[in-house]
Each structure stands twice: as structure tokens, then as C-alpha cells.
Amino acid sequence: MQLGLVGLGRMGGNMAERLRAAGHEVIGYDPHAESANVSSLAELAEKLTAPRVVWIMVPAGDPTRDTVAQLAELLSDGDLVIDGGNSRYTDDQHNAALLHEHSVRYVDCGVSGGVWGREVGYGLMAGGAPEDIERAMPIFDTLRPEGPREEGFAHAGPVGAGHYSKMVHNGIEYGLMQAYAEGYELLDAAELVHDVPAVIKAWSRGTVVRSWLLDLLVLALEQDPGLAELDGYVDDSGEGRWTVEEAINNRVPAPVISAALFARFVSRQDQSPAMKAVAALRQQFGGHAVHKAGPTSGTGDAS
């Protein structure tokens, strides 16, 4: 299948390679990437054969909205745009309506897998009309992990449902990382425990707290046993905040996710072993930027 891919960063670039390895034709555009196949969105549209499918993997907010607006003018009746970034679900209705004016279809897709997705696949949560989901299924099936489709892909509902599902997924992720991080800090503070990395690694098999996140914490500690190379400053990229806001709007108690979000705010004020662990986890699974420990640690701009 032929696909136009806008955004060839950490996620988009790896997704393009996974798709190409499976035999799909991917035409990539990114003004900041040497691996781009075209030099503009207009050229991307020209290179694709109608009816066209374009997948967007750029930062949420204005970059995504601007890309959708440009594509609305370049694409035509029957083409399909998929937003695979971390857009807020409320943006999806606006994007879909704008494209609908040009008879262009729209699907939103939450994507989880970080920098590891190229090798092991991505968890996908899509929102849109059934016929649009079915049309893009060869792409979804290639990007998701091997195994039963339902264990790596969900058609979550209409437009917006994919990003809403990914928002909640990331809120849960906040809580899980915070729990591991607090456990790490407690072990690190206890004089009785002499080998904290060994204890955490021993949880990898047979225990109820084993998980991929735990495996990544083990890997981080093997690379930097005391996490001395990291500053405890941890960004929040939006989804955690949105999850807490939705919990409030729907009157759903979410004390764990809320506490994990506020703990990230604490990280910007004081050094914390727990927040170093969260920073290490984000770097491991997503390749997210971290603040290196040093005289000026914790004072850099959020990324």
C-alpha cells in the first residue's frame, strides 16, 4: 500500500522503516529530516496516487492543525488523512470538519510504542468511520505488534475516540511510572537494601508487578546504576493533564493519575530520586529528552 508520511522524527521515522520493511511504499516529508523523499507537502500530494492516504506524525497543537489545514487545500475527494500524533481529542472534530469541506476523510489514531515500536510494533487506538478504518487496515496491521489484531489494535469509536483512548492510556502510564519510581526511591533510601538494581531486576519474572515498564527501569539502572547522570526534572506532554481534566468533567475519581501528574510538577522544584527514575523511564521507552545532572540542572526549558 502507498502512504504519505508527514513527520520523520523519533516515531515517524521508525514507523516509515517498519512499513517499508513490510513492502509498503512510504513517501516521507519532513522539513528537518535528511531522510525526506519530497521537499514540500505539495510535492508529497503530487507523488501520491489517488485516492491518497496521508499519515501525520508531528507535534500536537498548532503544528498538526496547520498541517491538516494545508493538506485540506492539497488533497481531493476520497483522500484520507490520519493523525497519529498526540493531539487532544477535541482537535479531531475541528480537523475532520475542515477536511470534510474538501470531501477528504479523517481518522485519528493514538499510537503507543515509543522508540521500540520499529522492532516490536505499536499499540494502536483508532477513531473514525468503519469504512475509513478498513481502508487503512493494511497500514494498521503492519504497525501493530505480531499476534491477534485485538491485542494491538482497536477501533475505539468515531472520530476523536482514538486520541481519547490514547489520552487515558498515557494517564495510566503516568501512574504506573510514578509507582515504580516511588518504590525505587524507598529502596534507595533504605540502608538495609544494599543492591537496589538487583532487587528491581528480581521482580522481572514471576511477580505481579512485572511489566515492560519494569524491564525498562531495569535497563536504565544497568546503564546508570544510581541514575547519577540524570536530573530529576520531568516534563508532562499534555495527556496527563487532559486525563485529569476529563476525570473531573466526568466525575470519575482518579487520585493515582492526579498524584502522578502533580509529582511531575514537584520534580521541577527539588531533586528527587523518584523523579530521576521517571525521567529514565521516559528516555528508555520514548527517547524523550532528559536534563543531565550538573550545576545548572533543572533550569532548562521544557521540551
Side-chain angles (χ1 to χ4, degrees):
M1 182 173 176
Q2 188 188 59
L3 178 73
L5 183 58
V6 182
L8 300 172
R10 287 192 305 264
M11 291 279 283
N14 282 340
M15 290 167 66
E17 292 308 310
R18 183 174 176 87
L19 289 166
R20 288 181 179 128
H24 297 285
E25 180 188 359
V26 179
I27 301 175
Y29 168 67
D30 189 320
H32 308 294
E34 294 182 0
S35 59
N37 306 111
V38 294
S39 59
S40 67
L41 284 176
E43 186 180 357
L44 176 70
E46 292 175 3
K47 293 283 187 180
L48 294 171
T49 302
R52 295 166 284 195
V53 179
V54 178
W55 188 302
I56 302 172
M57 286 299 293
V58 301
D62 287 341
T64 294
R65 288 190 289 266
D66 292 346
T67 301
V68 170
Q70 293 179 62
L71 288 172
E73 300 296 331
L74 294 168
L75 301 179
S76 56
D77 189 0
D79 292 344
L80 172 65
V81 171
I82 303 172
D83 177 11
N86 279 332
S87 295
R88 188 165 186 168
Y89 78 97
T90 50
D91 281 355
D92 293 316
Q93 302 300 329
H94 169 79
N95 291 338
L98 178 61
L99 291 168
H100 180 71
E101 294 176 2
H102 299 263
S103 299
V104 176
R105 309 293 297 176
Y106 181 79
V107 164
D108 61 288
C109 185
V111 181
S112 180
V115 296
W116 298 83
R118 177 180 175 180
E119 178 181 350
V120 302
Y122 303 86
L124 305 172
M125 299 138 270
E131 59 270 27
D132 296 329
I133 300 297
E134 187 60 32
R135 177 178 169 185
M137 195 58 72
I139 299 298
F140 294 142
D141 276 341
T142 299
L143 291 175
R144 67 174 176 82
E146 294 183 4
R149 178 185 289 169
E150 61 271 18
E151 293 182 5
F153 172 84
H155 180 193
V159 167
H163 281 145
Y164 195 99
S165 300
K166 179 57 163 42
M167 174 191 71
V168 175
H169 166 281
N170 282 24
I172 294 170
E173 182 183 286
Y174 273 46
L176 290 172
M177 287 196 290
Q178 187 64 28
Y180 284 128
E182 290 174 8
Y184 164 77
E185 180 169 2
L186 181 56
L187 288 169
D188 188 58
E191 295 182 2
L192 187 63
V193 179
H194 293 173
D195 194 340
V196 174
V199 170
I200 291 177
K201 188 171 185 176
W203 295 347
S204 299
R205 295 181 183 274
T207 77
V208 296
V209 300
R210 66 189 185 276
S211 73
W212 186 25
L213 278 174
L214 181 67
D215 293 341
L216 294 175
L217 181 55
V218 169
L219 180 60
L221 290 170
E222 288 176 347
Q223 295 174 349
D224 181 9
L227 303 181
E229 297 180 6
L230 296 178
D231 178 49
Y233 185 106
V234 180
D235 288 318
D236 67 289
S237 52
E239 297 92 336
R241 297 187 188 209
W242 304 338
T243 305
V244 172
E245 290 176 9
E246 284 299 306
I248 293 170
N249 292 339
N250 288 281
R251 301 177 183 176
V252 173
V256 172
I257 296 173
S258 300
L261 172 64
F262 287 118
R264 295 196 177 192
F265 298 160
V266 171
S267 80
R268 299 165 201 183
Q269 301 170 7
D270 301 302
Q271 288 298 317
S272 165
M275 300 320 297
K276 285 189 175 186
V278 172
L281 282 169
R282 293 181 79 247
Q283 184 184 43
Q284 287 294 328
F285 75 76
H288 295 289
V290 296
H291 291 248
K292 296 295 185 181
T296 60
S297 65
T299 60
D301 293 334
S303 60

